Amino acid sequence: MLSHSLDGLSSKSRALKVLLAEPRGFCAGVDRAIRVVEEALRRYGAPVYVRHEIVHNRTVVENLEKKGAIFVEELDEVPQDAHVVFSAHGVPKTVPLEAERRNLLYLDATCPLVSKVHREAEQHFADGGSECRHILMIGHAGHPEVVGTMGQLPLGAVTLIKDAQEAKTVHPENPDRLAFITQTTLSVNDTAEIVAILRERFPKIEGPRRENICYATTNRQEAVKRIAPECDLVFVIGSPNSSNSQRLREVAERSGAPKAILVPKLENLDWAVLKGVNVLGITAGASAPESLVQEMLKALSQKFTLDIEERIVKKEHVTFSLPSLLGR
């Protein structure tokens, strides 16, 4: 809580260097998903139902709830003939089929880069000819994106590979008829290690034409790698259930920061962690709004004399259009 001030931190006499990683915060897929819900509310009026958190950030969810969105985990919580939005993480094929059966008007806010992985999985599976290729998916068990991607293919067609150890021990039925895909929000380095193991064990394995880890995940990890060695502490603004935010925290520590912590909201911060910190790094996960970063900087400026430096690794200019049902 803000009241958790430490003796000496309330004075602005102490200088604090802040390194701001850029890119940080919202990616194009997150921005599109939020716009889908907002436009649906504008066109159809409240309530609009959203299956699962539209993106993994409580601030975003709470702001949309104030506008009339109702978040549910499954379609059986949605009234007949209602409007429903599928989250940016994607859904198994059974979900739109169930929505159609129940006469729900649905809008798919799945990130186009996640949809690309869905299509690649289907193509690899079908291109196996008379004997379909088995798919190895690198990702985190239970994550909505993984559940949605595996749900594009028949049960048993995909095996989840969670880490390097599983890559070393997986025993597919036909090692010569394999392909791999990955979750879009993984650690770039960890995934490269797993892919290298799979390629060594299964030389004929097919992979994506382009890397599945999305541009936003890659760019944010690269940006935090650049600042981490200079920092005493790194704040990652993001929610605990956000895969890309968790990966940023891990990458910061592996890249030289003595400590990195996840900060979902300003009120979650124990200010005692800043004792002895002279250089603070700040980044934000792809589902965290920039307003949370600015709120953090404002609070810090009330306790320290700040020297803020933004480190820009790359400028992003990616945008995605809204679903055709919304007319853009």
Side-chain angles (χ1 to χ4, degrees):
M1 303 292 293
L2 288 177
S3 60
H4 289 174
S5 60
L6 185 73
D7 289 344
L9 288 187
S10 58
S11 170
K12 293 181 64 173
S13 61
R14 187 161 86 79
L16 179 67
K17 175 85 171 181
V18 176
L19 299 182
L20 273 179
E22 173 64 28
R24 63 179 181 273
F26 278 2
C27 63
V30 165
D31 179 69
R32 174 183 182 269
I34 294 168
R35 287 190 293 126
V36 168
V37 179
E38 291 175 334
E39 181 63 15
L41 285 164
R42 188 186 71 80
R43 292 198 179 202
Y44 307 124
V48 167
Y49 291 81
V50 184
R51 184 187 179 277
H52 194 68
E53 289 187 347
I54 187 69
V55 298
H56 283 158
N57 186 273
R58 286 305 307 169
T59 298
V60 170
V61 168
E62 288 164 6
N63 287 342
L64 291 173
E65 284 176 333
K66 292 173 185 175
K67 297 177 181 180
I70 296 176
F71 290 84
V72 299
E73 284 305 307
E74 297 298 342
L75 290 186
D76 59 13
E77 301 172 62
V78 180
Q80 201 75 15
D81 300 323
H83 295 84
V84 62
V85 177
F86 301 152
S87 79
H89 312 98
V91 296
K93 281 188 172 179
T94 54
V95 173
L97 290 174
E98 174 64 10
E100 291 169 5
R101 186 189 70 79
R102 295 193 53 221
N103 202 32
L104 303 176
L105 191 154
Y106 68 87
L107 295 163
D108 190 354
T110 301
C111 173
L113 299 180
V114 174
S115 295
K116 178 180 78 72
V117 179
H118 291 181
R119 303 293 78 80
E120 286 180 347
E122 291 178 317
Q123 186 172 352
H124 281 311
F125 183 70
D127 283 352
S130 58
E131 184 181 353
C132 294
R133 284 197 184 94
H134 189 75
I135 311 298
L136 303 180
M137 179 170 190
I138 304 168
H140 299 294
H143 190 279
E145 182 186 330
V146 171
V147 173
T149 301
M150 293 180 71
Q152 303 304 304
L153 295 177
L155 191 64
V158 185
T159 297
L160 182 63
I161 306 295
K162 298 188 287 294
D163 53 34
Q165 184 57 36
E166 289 193 354
K168 293 175 183 177
T169 56
V170 65
H171 290 290
E173 190 172 326
N174 187 343
D176 294 331
R177 309 296 291 172
L178 293 175
F180 75 87
I181 55 175
T182 82
Q183 187 178 334
T184 63
T185 55
L186 300 177
S187 160
V188 173
N189 290 347
D190 288 351
T191 305
E193 178 188 4
I194 294 170
V195 169
I197 292 167
L198 293 177
R199 288 196 181 280
E200 182 178 0
R201 292 190 63 208
F202 311 113
K204 294 184 179 181
I205 195 169
E206 294 285 336
R209 290 187 178 87
R210 295 184 65 183
E211 188 176 27
N212 286 158
I213 296 176
C214 77
Y215 78 94
T217 297
T218 302
N219 290 348
R220 280 149 190 73
Q221 289 181 20
E222 184 59 33
V224 85
K225 283 180 186 177
R226 298 282 184 93
I227 66 169
E230 301 176 50
C231 297
D232 302 310
L233 174 67
V234 172
F235 285 168
V236 177
I237 312 296
S239 295
N241 60 341
S242 166
S243 175
N244 68 80
S245 298
Q246 289 284 14
R247 303 294 79 75
L248 284 173
R249 183 190 60 76
E250 294 168 357
V251 167
E253 290 188 345
R254 292 175 184 176
S255 302
K259 186 175 183 181
I261 61 174
L262 204 64
V263 185
K265 288 185 177 182
L266 184 62
E267 58 259 36
N268 301 124
L269 179 63
D270 180 355
W271 291 95
V273 297
L274 285 164
K275 184 177 182 180
V277 171
N278 295 310
V279 181
L280 173 68
I282 297 179
T283 186
S287 51
E290 177 64 15
S291 61
L292 295 181
V293 176
Q294 296 306 316
E295 185 181 55
M296 175 66 71
L297 291 174
K298 183 177 180 181
L300 287 167
S301 71
Q302 293 169 357
K303 297 177 177 293
F304 301 94
T305 300
L306 297 185
D307 175 13
I308 301 173
E309 181 181 342
E310 189 170 47
R311 297 284 182 85
I312 302 173
V313 168
K314 185 174 289 186
K315 286 289 188 181
E316 295 177 345
H317 305 285
V318 180
T319 58
F320 295 130
S321 60
L322 296 180
S324 57
L325 276 176
L326 295 178
R328 295 181 200 171

